[in-house]
Structure formats: structure tokens, C-alpha cells
Amino acid sequence: MTQSIETITIPGLPFPASRIALGTWAIGGWMWGGPDDENAIKTVHEALELGLNLIDTAPVYGFGHSEEVVGKAVEGRRDKVLLATKLGLNWKDGKVFRDSHPERLRQEVEDSLKRLRTDHIDLIQVHWPDPKVSIADVARTLEDLRKEGKVLALGASNFSVAQLDAFRAEAPLAAIQPPYNLFEREIDKDILPYARKHDLVALAYGPLCRGLLSGKMTAETTFGKDDLRSGDPKFQEPRFGHYLKAVDDLKAVADKHGKSLLALAIRWVLDRGPTIALWGARRPAQISGVDEAFGWSLSAQDFQTIDEILSRDIPDPVGPEFMAPPDA
């Protein structure tokens, strides 16, 4: 176990959560080149050995497959693990759409409990807001499930401030899950200050920006048509070149601390507030280096240097909007 691991309290959960969580989108296989269950289970076990006690998954990751793999991997270790999953997305013929109707939410929780092989979900999160269903109805449904003991804490992913307000008017909110990384910082404007003000923990997804901040990509890196990044504007020229130039320059900031670029990217997220970084992995080797992200901090000068690099190297930045599923 990592000795210097940092933790944070999520209201309603039985013990503090590690400030790096294992993200399992890739474990589901869908949009990541297919599943690899043997390595996926080893990855979960490696994460737990390193002291990462929070695992974040979702039904839509592989259409139930990620949850099934996580459930198998944590069997016999459930009391040491915080399981976070999501609801509010549906699918038909491989097409994903938003669906937060109360009966759908209840069914999703039952399905997730079975796949995860557990009697309760520690943190349940609405994956995306559904414009066809009032947030009040969604919040009340989840609060009923919390009172029934099927879930312990409630969260919301990809919500605006107004939507968070609407949720909190009906039910206690413990956590939010927005996209957040060195390159995608929209939440600095309003969502992160809101989290600080209302004691919400922010689970930052994509802290390595789909691998861009791993430091392992080059101009020759390519992505298959079933890879999420083939449709991501950041990975199309000329933007890809701009982001790779920024990555090279950011390595100098990491080098100053004797750290990898990957550790710098995670540390940046952790230093921004009441945050948890979701570290996505599908093979054990992909979570090596967790130790490097703990036990140090970036200085005010580091933050300024990082900002200068981004404004110089990336003339046409773009956010993660391409990932939003259709409303219906």
C-alpha cells in the first residue's frame, strides 16, 4: 500500500476515500478496443494493493460489462472498497441516450447491485441530466433509494450549477463528477467554486485527458475507429500537434519536481480543491506511478508557468463536449 496516500471524506460513506480512484470505463471495452477481463481483474487488485479504495464504474461502460468485472474483482474484499456507479443512461442497439425516468433509475440500481455482487452502492451518480425528466423527480427517487439502504450517498455528473441547485433542493448531494484536467478546465468558472462552497467532493474524470497527459503519445500515435479518441477534436491535426507541444513543455515543470508528466497532471487536479482524480486503467502497468502523485504540491509559480505554456502552445483549445450523449 502507498504509504503517503491522501484521503478525503465523502459524506455518507463508511470510511474516507483515496484521492485517486480507479476509473473503469476502459475495462468495459466499449469505445476502448474491446474487453480484456483477465487484465482488468488484475488491475482492480493492483489498485487495491496500492491503497486506492474507491472504484468508479457505470452500467454504460461496456453495457454492464465493467460492473460485472468490478463485481467479480472485489468479491471477498467488498468491506474494504467504496463502489461508485452511475445511472440515467439507457441504450438500444448499441446507441446510448439519456433516460432518468424514476422506474428506469430503480431498475438500474437493481441491475447494478446484481452485477456488482453487493447489497448496497456506496455512491450513486446521475451520469448525465435528462431534459425530459425533472431533476426534482430524479433527486427524490434517489433519496428514496438512499433511505431504503440500497445506496449510501448521492452524486451528479455533468450537471450545471442550476441543475445542482435543483437537485440539492430535494435531496442531500455528496459528490459531483465533472470532466477536469490541465487542458479542460471549464469547471474552474463555476462548478468547482460551487463544490467548495457546498462541501461537495468533485470526482474529476479524464484527469489525463484520454491519455494525452500520460506523456506516451507522439505525432505518429493513431487510434482505431472503435477508439473514443478517433472522434475527439484534440486528437485531430492541427490541434493534436498543439497539444503535444504543450505536453513536451509541461514535462519541464514535472522534471523540476523529479516527477513524471502523469504525476504532474494528477497532482494539478488534486491541488485544485476538494477533488478526487479518476485514474483510468485496464492493465496493471497503467496504474504504476500512483505513488508519485502523492506527498507533494505545486507552487503558485508552477501554476503560472503551466498557464503560460497552455496559452502559448494551444491557440485553439477545445473542451470535452464531444462526449455528451444525445438527449433522446
Side-chain angles (χ1 to χ4, degrees):
M1 178 171 172
T2 304
Q3 293 303 309
S4 59
I5 202 155
E6 297 168 28
T7 61
I8 191 169
T9 297
I10 298 176
L13 299 198
F15 47 85
S18 54
R19 289 195 69 203
I20 295 176
L22 178 65
T24 64
W25 185 1
I27 278 174
W30 177 62
M31 300 185 85
W32 293 94
D36 178 358
D37 294 358
E38 185 180 348
N39 268 316
I41 289 171
K42 288 177 181 174
T43 301
V44 173
H45 291 168
E46 178 72 7
L48 297 176
E49 289 298 315
L50 289 168
L52 308 189
N53 63 9
L54 176 60
I55 299 174
D56 181 80
T57 187
V60 77
Y61 299 164
F63 307 118
H65 192 69
S66 176
E67 286 188 329
E68 288 170 358
V69 172
V70 169
K72 191 180 297 185
V74 303
E75 206 164 22
R77 314 172 190 224
R78 178 66 182 94
D79 60 333
K80 298 178 177 64
V81 181
L82 298 171
L83 290 178
T85 192
K86 306 178 191 76
L87 35 58
L89 290 182
N90 205 339
W91 56 86
K92 185 176 182 180
D93 302 325
K95 301 289 186 186
V96 175
F97 55 95
R98 308 185 198 203
D99 184 354
S100 285
H101 290 92
E103 60 275 15
R104 168 67 182 169
L105 299 182
R106 282 194 162 273
Q107 186 60 53
E108 283 198 87
V109 167
E110 296 301 330
D111 292 345
S112 290
L113 289 170
K114 288 190 185 77
R115 288 190 289 253
L116 291 166
R117 306 184 185 196
T118 186
D119 62 357
H120 71 278
I121 293 160
D122 294 289
L123 175 64
I124 195 75
Q125 304 157 97
V126 185
H127 209 148
W128 286 84
D130 180 354
K132 303 181 299 301
V133 182
S134 80
I135 287 173
D137 284 347
V138 172
R140 284 193 291 264
T141 302
L142 296 192
E143 176 61 357
D144 287 345
L145 287 160
R146 189 182 72 86
K147 288 175 177 174
E148 292 163 22
K150 293 184 177 179
V151 303
L152 302 187
L154 312 182
S157 181
N158 302 300
F159 273 43
S160 68
V161 163
Q163 290 164 336
L164 293 172
D165 273 339
F167 191 107
R168 290 178 58 250
E170 302 294 337
L173 193 65
I176 56 174
Q177 187 171 146
Y180 195 45
N181 58 64
L182 268 164
F183 293 143
E184 296 169 336
R185 309 178 173 196
E186 288 82 357
I187 71 166
D188 279 340
K189 298 171 191 164
D190 53 3
I191 299 293
L192 200 52
Y194 185 93
R196 294 188 191 108
K197 180 179 179 181
H198 296 290
D199 298 321
L200 306 176
V201 177
L203 282 67
Y205 75 79
L208 300 180
C209 199
R210 275 84 70 201
L212 196 50
L213 286 161
S214 68
K216 296 175 181 173
M217 290 184 182
T218 69
E220 283 71 49
T221 302
T222 58
F223 309 98
K225 66 178 188 298
D226 63 341
D227 189 304
L228 168 80
R229 292 164 291 193
S230 65
D232 185 338
K234 281 188 177 58
F235 296 86
Q236 321 299 321
E237 292 295 354
R239 280 198 184 101
F240 191 34
H242 299 158
Y243 280 98
L244 288 176
K245 175 67 168 67
V247 163
D248 280 343
D249 290 344
L250 288 168
K251 285 178 181 173
V253 182
D255 288 344
K256 191 181 84 171
H257 290 278
K259 303 291 183 181
S260 66
L261 174 70
L262 186 147
L264 173 77
I266 297 292
R267 189 69 246 172
W268 184 91
V269 169
L270 298 184
D271 282 347
R272 301 297 285 182
T275 47
I276 291 172
L278 296 179
W279 188 310
R282 55 186 286 155
R283 294 188 298 277
Q286 292 174 330
I287 53 172
S288 65
V290 162
D291 311 52
E292 268 199 279
F294 290 126
W296 61 289
S297 288
L298 293 164
S299 67
Q301 181 59 55
D302 289 329
F303 281 111
Q304 184 179 330
T305 301
I306 288 167
D307 290 349
E308 288 168 357
I309 288 169
L310 268 57
S311 84
R312 180 183 70 233
D313 291 348
I314 306 172
D316 186 24
V318 61
E321 298 84 3
F322 81 101
M323 288 194 286
D327 291 347

